[in-house]
Amino acid sequence: QVQLVESGGGLVQAGGSLRLSCSASGRTFSSYTMGWFRQAPGKEREFVARISSNSDTYYADSVKGRFTISRDNAKNTVYLQMNNLKPEDTAIYYCAARRGRNSYDSWGQGTQVTVSS
């Protein structure tokens, strides 16, 4: 497992942008698939995006074309660039890590994103 710490959340108006960061501990970060998830009030946690160890990316339909996930293995950090934000993007955003196709077994504490209309 790795220790994950998210940052970069905040309050933004609809149409604005935010970049979330997730810093990981350990020397094996590059071998992990990293994911971003979110949970809105009263809703279940949902998948947002993931990036594999070889930087293949995959997005939920709801964010495709607006969000971009990337990673910097030299900095042990994964990013989520969020553009054209909508009020329905309001949620706590979590990053998570997994090995290969295993379940995500490391989670950060979350960072709040609030999009006002």
Side-chain angles (χ1 to χ4, degrees), residues 39-57:
Q39 187 166 20
K43 295 186 177 181
E44 295 187 352
R45 185 171 59 195
E46 65 175 1
F47 167 80
V48 175
R50 70 170 181 260
I51 184 165
S52 69
S53 57
N54 61 3
S55 294
D56 290 335
T57 58

